[in-house]
Amino acid sequence: MCGISAVVGMKNISQALFEGIRNLEYRGYDSCGVALMNGRGLVIKKNIGGVEEFFRKEHVLEISSQVGIAHTRWATHGKVTRNNTHPFTSCDGKFAVVHNGIISNYRLLRNQLQKEGHVFESETDTEVIPHLLEKFHKETKSPEAALVKTLHLLEGSFALAFLCAHDPEQIYCAKRESPLMLGIGDEIKFIGSDFNAFIDYTKNAVIIDDGEYAVISRATYVVKNAITGEEIVKPITQLDWDSETSKKGGYPHYMLKEIYEQPQTVSNVLDLEEASLDELAEMIHESRHTHFTGVGSTYYVANFAKYVFAWLAREFIPATSSDEFVSLASVGPDNLVMAVSQSGETYDTLTALKFAKASKAKTAAVVNVMGSSMARLVDKVILQGSGPEICVISTKAVISQMMVMTLIALRLGLRKKVLKKKAFERHLADLGELPGIIQSILNERSGFIHRIAHRYAHIKHWLYLGRGMYYPVALESALKMKEVAYVHAEGMPGGFLKHGTLALIDENIYSIVFIPPREDQELYQATLHSVEEVRARSGFVLGIHFDERGKNKDLFSEELILPAVSPLVAPFIQLVIGQLFSYFTATTLKRNVDKPRSLAKSVTVG
Ligand code: GLU
């Protein structure tokens, strides 16, 4: 996965290209490159490293050009080297291509092209594209016809864009399974992997669908079907995000900014249209079996939903990691497959949904990005309305998704008469308090969590323990720790400990235990048993709980005491604590918080 940005305009576009690709850097940041058309032909610059550094070192902004493409890479084929950095050119230097995704039959194509005399400079799958374009351009004398012929040969998933010296005022692009869209301004047109590539310049977007290609010039654009060649009149989508929402707003990192935005994003979910949530609850009710799916953090959201639906609607809905979905699930017309995804582009989850569709199951998704592949694919979509999440680590999107799932569970519970109207309303009122409670936790507890994180940042191994709904919270919190602080953290149900893991416990293994409010009697007691088990073996326990100080005297090695809240609200609060703890551990360890290693925002490859 990667970012593609392209601009064609009347004046010099290098600044717009820079801003576009910088705004997409969260999608990948191994290396960066541009191809610009200027008076003398194509100028290519590329190097490993981040966008800002690349533009500065290579003096890209000093090149005057009205047509350009840029790429920020997240390597899938070939190491992170300058030679493997996009754009790639044809042998004659007339075509420059950037690509997102994987060309799965590239070896075959490459062998064939090499036999025909084409010389390759990289280890990437992408490089076959400029050579194919060159080959077919020789035959057809038309860049467009060369593109169509090339598309017919490519297998796999891709979004691509290219410049061609034979036609210097246009940019060509095409898409299959990787996101791509156009930005339509007056006398300026854009191509981007997502809206962030051009939102500073225009709010008019045209979303390219699978099997389509487009050609843009300063004044016009055209979208066509790659098989039939027919022109397609596409609707213009009006974006309602503004670029200010995407900026850091005074916070040192997007991660912290986005954690602090949670009172707002949770409120946004509370404002979602009730009829839409009811519709989804009804779909679940009507289906013989429903499956939840997601991957990474969204898999944990799906797991959280599993507990919430069991509790509030007495409905057991299995959650499956979407990368395993196709191997595991057998679904048919009377099933519903409901996915969770921030970007709406995650390859594994998209694959699971396509599999569900092909099996004639109904599909639904909770996603954050309007116009994304999933939003358009499924029978029913809920847009969670969290606004752009720029940090690669997901925080505000996760809490919103948990909230959406909880609201649907409540409505299903009411529909099934598992919940009486009164209980339903009490739960809703409790959730209505959540934004205010999160706000006060952020205001009053951040400093304390910062100090604790600082104190224990040297710890190499953590166990994150929780039972019931707190088990997915423990899993998600442990994942945060791994991905942003690079510290080993393992989420585990408290009940598991005595089935083997206790053997590990001594003074060197540190545990965090997410404890429910006392009101949740059974779960509370069971969780405290886990704490006792660890303490009995000299293990360290950081207890996060809602009791007043002194109630659990001597039980914890360290404790974080939260204000009393209702059982439905408590796991959300624990999640926020987990986020802050990871964030402050990461900053203490001087990690690259917004762009941690080996992770990209929307994993659009399998
Ligand atoms: N497969 C291509 C590569 O490894 C593109 C990866 C990407 O999407 O960034 O260069």
Side-chain angles (χ1 to χ4, degrees):
M1 93 215 64
C2 69
I4 291 177
S5 164
V7 194
V8 44
M10 204 155 64
K11 301 197 210 96
N12 186 7
I13 51 82
S14 41
Q15 179 67 27
L17 194 62
F18 167 63
E19 288 168 25
I21 199 67
R22 190 191 50 192
N23 288 347
L24 293 179
E25 208 183 359
Y26 68 85
R27 300 175 61 87
Y29 32 82
D30 291 339
S31 57
C32 183
V34 296
L36 297 160
M37 197 65 81
N38 82 356
R40 279 169 289 131
L42 274 171
V43 181
I44 310 282
K45 299 264 184 194
K46 52 167 99 174
N47 220 329
I48 53 173
V51 170
E52 295 210 12
E53 186 193 355
F54 161 75
F55 269 74
R56 196 179 57 248
K57 281 197 178 149
E58 303 286 334
H59 304 283
V60 182
L61 292 179
E62 290 157 34
I63 307 169
S64 173
S65 168
Q66 289 158 12
V67 189
I69 56 178
H71 186 267
T72 175
R73 181 173 183 233
W74 195 78
T76 65
H77 289 62
K79 290 180 279 302
V80 179
T81 60
R82 188 184 177 281
N83 269 5
N84 288 339
T85 302
H86 303 218
F88 296 104
T89 49
S90 48
C91 294
D92 63 7
K94 301 282 189 209
F95 290 88
V97 177
V98 293
H99 157 237
N100 165 211
I102 291 171
I103 308 297
S104 50
N105 61 338
Y106 84 102
R107 279 183 199 281
L108 190 89
L109 295 170
R110 186 176 167 121
N111 287 343
Q112 209 155 342
L113 286 159
Q114 276 171 331
K115 278 193 203 125
E116 292 167 18
H118 289 265
V119 179
F120 283 74
E121 288 179 348
S122 79
E123 304 158 324
T124 64
D125 50 339
T126 307
E127 203 185 348
V128 295
I129 304 170
H131 293 287
L132 287 171
L133 289 169
E134 176 185 7
K135 170 179 163 162
F136 292 127
H137 187 266
K138 285 208 174 102
E139 287 172 28
T140 61
K141 303 282 175 282
S142 146
E144 185 171 337
L147 170 62
V148 171
K149 276 181 168 272
T150 301
L151 291 176
H152 289 171
L153 283 185
L154 298 182
E155 288 173 14
S157 60
F158 53 81
L160 63 89
F162 72 87
L163 292 185
C164 164
H166 300 293
D167 183 12
E169 291 179 8
Q170 310 210 83
I171 307 177
Y172 295 78
C173 64
K175 156 186 158 71
R176 190 189 298 158
E177 289 180 4
S178 296
L180 197 69
M181 53 200 65
L182 308 182
I184 311 299
D186 293 338
E187 300 295 333
I188 187 162
K189 304 286 176 288
F190 302 84
I191 298 167
S193 300
D194 67 39
F195 309 139
N196 290 304
F198 48 76
I199 199 157
D200 284 320
Y201 291 85
T202 178
K203 300 229 177 333
N204 296 332
V206 168
I207 296 160
I208 309 293
D209 282 294
D210 286 348
E212 294 175 352
Y213 68 92
V215 190
I216 62 167
S217 62
R218 171 176 62 77
T220 61
Y221 68 94
V222 60
V223 182
K224 291 187 181 174
N225 179 305
I227 307 274
T228 63
E230 268 168 41
E231 189 173 333
I232 304 165
V233 183
K234 308 278 293 185
I236 296 217
T237 304
Q238 286 286 331
L239 309 178
D240 64 4
W241 289 355
D242 60 39
S243 64
E244 224 5 76
T245 343
S246 297
K247 303 252 160 72
K248 255 191 239 168
Y251 289 90
H253 298 103
Y254 281 114
M255 182 173 176
L256 192 62
K257 172 177 182 262
E258 288 159 5
I259 289 174
Y260 271 76
E261 279 171 359
Q262 293 180 121
Q264 184 57 52
T265 50
V266 168
S267 292
N268 294 351
V269 176
L270 288 166
D271 287 342
L272 286 178
E273 208 189 316
E274 288 174 15
S276 183
L277 299 170
D278 275 334
E279 202 185 311
L280 200 36
E282 195 57 38
M283 281 171 84
I284 296 173
H285 191 51
E286 279 170 7
S287 307
R288 207 152 69 87
H289 294 296
T290 299
H291 294 262
F292 291 148
T293 190
V295 73
S297 289
T298 52
Y299 171 54
Y300 297 144
V301 172
N303 266 287
F304 177 76
K306 182 169 72 179
Y307 286 92
V308 177
F309 274 77
W311 173 25
L312 299 172
R314 261 188 243 135
E315 188 89 27
F316 172 61
I317 303 180
T320 308
S321 189
S322 58
D323 58 325
E324 296 292 329
F325 194 85
V326 174
S327 326
L328 276 173
S330 61
V331 290
D334 49 0
N335 296 148
L336 171 68
V337 177
M338 184 168 166
V340 187
S341 168
Q342 191 283 131
S343 64
E345 303 292 349
T346 313
Y347 177 86
D348 290 321
T349 311
L350 204 50
T351 304
L353 282 173
K354 285 181 182 165
F355 168 78
K357 266 214 125 102
S359 315
K360 308 229 165 3
K362 294 232 162 32
T363 52
V366 177
V367 300
N368 191 30
V369 180
M370 67 176 140
S372 57
S373 301
M374 276 179 225
R376 287 175 294 131
L377 179 77
V378 293
D379 300 311
K380 169 77 192 157
V381 65
I382 304 263
L383 288 171
Q384 61 184 83
S386 311
E389 191 178 59
I390 303 297
C391 176
V392 173
I393 305 291
S394 190
T395 51
K396 64 174 182 171
V398 168
I399 206 165
S400 293
Q401 289 158 344
M402 283 167 50
M403 189 70 170
V404 173
M405 297 306 251
T406 306
L407 290 180
I408 301 169
L410 276 173
R411 307 198 89 84
L412 182 63
L414 185 69
R415 168 75 178 78
K416 286 178 68 182
K417 300 197 169 46
V418 174
L419 289 178
K420 297 218 167 68
K421 186 88 183 149
K422 228 171 144 190
F424 170 82
E425 273 164 4
R426 182 172 41 80
H427 285 312
L428 267 192
D430 286 345
L431 291 175
E433 305 279 317
L434 187 55
I437 302 172
I438 297 176
Q439 191 62 60
S440 64
I441 296 289
L442 293 172
N443 293 344
E444 292 158 23
R445 298 294 197 279
S446 286
F448 183 68
I449 300 167
H450 192 172
R451 280 198 298 283
I452 295 196
H454 203 265
R455 196 172 305 150
Y456 299 106
H458 62 285
I459 299 304
K460 299 269 182 298
H461 305 283
W462 285 98
L463 276 182
Y464 279 54
L465 301 172
R467 287 177 182 252
M469 290 197 294
Y470 299 82
Y471 169 40
V473 169
L475 288 169
E476 166 60 8
S477 302
L479 179 62
K480 292 286 89 102
M481 193 62 150
K482 283 183 272 206
E483 57 189 1
V484 70
Y486 320 151
V487 170
H488 174 224
E490 199 175 331
M492 194 177 289
F496 239 61
L497 272 180
K498 55 182 173 298
H499 298 282
T501 313
L502 278 180
L504 266 183
I505 306 288
D506 60 19
E507 57 283 353
N508 298 314
I509 297 284
Y510 281 55
S511 300
I512 294 187
V513 186
F514 297 93
I515 298 161
R518 201 173 267 257
E519 213 179 317
D520 216 342
Q521 257 306 318
E522 269 177 44
L523 210 58
Y524 173 82
Q525 286 305 345
T527 310
L528 289 195
H529 287 159
S530 306
V531 175
E532 301 275 12
E533 285 168 359
V534 176
R535 296 292 285 144
R537 286 156 185 84
S538 308
F540 171 100
V541 173
L542 165 57
I544 307 173
H545 64 82
F546 300 87
D547 285 334
E548 295 149 39
R549 179 170 296 281
K551 280 242 166 106
N552 301 298
K553 215 163 171 295
D554 302 332
L555 190 56
F556 305 112
S557 325
E558 187 86 70
E559 59 184 345
L560 203 156
I561 307 163
L562 299 165
V565 295
S566 74
L568 189 54
V569 161
F572 291 88
I573 303 299
Q574 297 273 23
L575 184 87
V576 176
I577 303 299
Q579 295 168 343
L580 287 169
F581 189 61
S582 311
Y583 172 75
F584 288 124
T585 305
T587 54
T588 307
L589 295 172
K590 306 218 176 331
R591 304 301 192 218
N592 188 356
V593 171
D594 285 332
K595 289 179 206 151
R597 67 189 179 200
S598 305
L599 188 66
K601 186 70 190 163
S602 71
V603 184
T604 53
V605 291

